[in-house]
Amino acid sequence: MAIPKASLLAILGCLCFCSSVLAARELNDDLSMVARHESWMLQYGRVYKDAAEKASKFEVFKANAGFIDSFNAGNHKFWLGINQFADITNKEFKATKTNKGFISNKVRAPTGFSYENVSFDALPASIDWRTKGAVTPVKDQGQCGCCWAFSAVAATEGIVKLSTGKLVSLSEQELVDCDVHGEDQGCEGGLMDDAFKFIISNGGLTQESSYPYDAEDGKCKSGSKSAGTIKSYEDVPANNEGALMKAVANQPVSVAVDGGDMTFQFYSGGVMTGSCGTDLDHGIAAIGYGVTSDGTKYWLMKNSWGTSWGENGFLRMEKDIADKKGMCGLAMEPSYPTA
Ligand SMILES: *[C@@H]1O[C@H](CO)[C@@H](O)[C@H](O)[C@H]1NC(C)=O
């Protein structure tokens, strides 16, 4: 039987490919990496100022993609993906995305903990505050280290919804511009507890649409009308995931984590487990908890890096781990506003 011409060509082509020297294979890998970088640039609308910048960004992209590919080839409960941070180094990522302000907050002034005597038997096995209408859509802090404002606002939006029945998106920019005393320094970092103190003394926060986010430090615009108020705030007892569960069962809670690892930078889905730092540098919000079908307990977190990061902007982190500080230190400094 005659071999059709097309197949013969295909077979020869294959043999040629297989016998190609290693150097050529490396070149192929590089070519497909160039294609990945090009399509990523299109997807994220990235434009470089010249060929030199493009070449150096390509090297960063290639290193990040290599890290992601080899991580995903391993056996993990979560996976990484190429996202908007693919052409920045982990050092650059830490410098713009996270916040060094938490370091000085190791000792917190004691507050009460209203949920202290809540019985564990009374807690739901899982909760997702999104399904109860207490979580606004995921926001994006952009190139500004004011995660603390997004974290505090997410918890505030939650308690305002639970106490008034109305979900209102509140202004992070008002915190960035106006809450500039003490630890809170706009894009240079801040603390959620200090944000709550400001919201209390300010008589609440303005609606997001009236005081929109512009991702940089600005002049405080006074005279805005408050759209959501809180009475006070409380700290969840430190290093106690059980106490955190009692709080999250009742409302969204601000949480500080170490968000500087590469696994955090490129988290794309699943339940984050395994090793993680505990140098708190990022503020997020715990908006629920649950258990996967394979029995992995997790916290459901809202982040402020847009919807292309993580699970549409959300993140799941392992719950009730052996280390009392919690995954990435999440149990170290949680707090929430009260109505
Ligand atoms: C919890 O119970 C203890 C003992 O009855 C009591 O002293 C404490 O005030 C209670 N805490 C709260 C927050 O109600």
Side-chain angles (χ1 to χ4, degrees):
M1 207 172 98
I3 299 169
K5 245 193 180 132
S7 329
L8 192 63
L9 281 176
I11 290 162
L12 288 177
C14 177
L15 284 177
C16 278
F17 180 73
C18 298
S19 64
S20 63
V21 288
L22 281 173
R25 181 166 169 189
E26 219 163 74
L27 182 69
N28 265 327
D29 285 355
D30 241 25
L31 283 176
S32 72
M33 194 60 85
V34 167
R36 278 170 81 179
H37 186 219
E38 292 285 350
S39 78
W40 174 86
M41 283 174 65
L42 272 180
Q43 190 186 345
Y44 288 96
R46 197 72 96 249
V47 180
Y48 299 120
K49 66 175 191 298
D50 53 28
E53 186 186 37
K54 187 172 176 183
S56 82
K57 286 297 191 180
F58 170 74
E59 290 306 319
V60 176
F61 181 91
K62 186 175 147 186
N64 285 336
F67 175 83
I68 291 166
D69 291 350
S70 68
F71 180 90
N72 289 342
N75 186 21
H76 305 280
K77 288 183 192 291
F78 69 110
W79 48 95
L80 309 182
I82 297 281
N83 58 22
Q84 70 266 43
F85 308 130
D87 73 342
I88 57 172
T89 63
N90 184 246
K91 201 174 160 207
E92 291 166 333
F93 171 77
K94 279 186 191 167
T96 58
K97 284 295 148 188
T98 57
N99 141 25
K100 283 140 235 76
F102 294 104
I103 294 160
S104 55
N105 200 30
K106 287 269 152 66
V107 181
R108 302 189 293 180
T111 66
F113 180 51
S114 302
Y115 302 121
E116 183 182 4
N117 296 329
V118 169
S119 148
F120 280 108
D121 298 337
L123 302 181
S126 68
I127 189 154
D128 179 347
W129 285 110
R130 294 174 299 187
T131 66
K132 316 229 182 245
V135 181
T136 60
V138 167
K139 304 179 187 185
D140 191 348
Q141 70 185 76
Q143 305 290 323
C144 166
C146 61
C147 52
W148 58 276
F150 283 86
S151 170
V153 164
T156 301
E157 289 167 345
I159 197 64
V160 168
K161 158 69 185 177
L162 295 176
S163 60
T164 68
K166 281 193 221 115
L167 180 66
V168 189
S169 186
L170 298 172
S171 174
E172 291 80 13
Q173 194 65 42
E174 185 172 18
L175 283 168
V176 170
D177 293 350
C178 308
D179 177 20
V180 291
H181 308 290
E183 299 283 356
D184 292 348
Q185 300 295 334
C187 293
E188 285 65 59
L191 298 172
M192 283 83 86
D193 280 4
D194 286 354
F196 295 141
K197 283 179 202 159
F198 171 84
I199 298 171
I200 296 160
S201 69
N202 191 50
L205 277 184
T206 308
Q207 202 166 314
E208 181 97 61
S209 55
S210 316
Y211 203 143
Y213 186 63
D214 63 12
E216 57 185 14
D217 296 317
K219 203 164 167 286
C220 179
K221 296 165 195 70
S222 56
S224 359
K225 197 168 151 286
S226 160
T229 58
I230 60 174
K231 270 210 190 74
S232 187
Y233 75 93
E234 295 181 348
D235 291 334
V236 176
N239 306 326
N240 186 337
E241 287 193 77
L244 181 57
M245 186 177 178
K246 291 178 181 180
V248 176
N250 283 282
Q251 65 180 97
V253 172
S254 289
V255 164
V257 293
D258 184 333
D261 287 3
M262 276 181 95
T263 44
F264 217 100
Q265 182 175 356
F266 295 115
Y267 167 84
S268 169
V271 178
M272 187 184 277
T273 56
S275 75
C276 186
T278 55
D279 292 327
L280 305 181
D281 60 8
H282 187 47
I284 56 178
I287 54 145
Y289 57 80
V291 190
T292 64
S293 51
D294 76 356
T296 308
K297 291 194 272 180
Y298 63 84
W299 294 107
L300 181 59
M301 304 292 196
K302 184 189 191 190
N303 200 359
S304 53
W305 294 343
T307 52
S308 58
W309 182 89
E311 298 184 321
N312 298 313
F314 295 91
L315 153 76
R316 285 178 293 160
M317 303 176 78
E318 191 175 15
K319 178 172 172 285
D320 300 339
I321 66 170
D323 185 348
K324 291 271 177 282
K325 291 175 177 173
M327 187 74 198
C328 305
L330 64 86
M332 292 167 75
E333 290 186 6
S335 60
Y336 54 87
T338 60

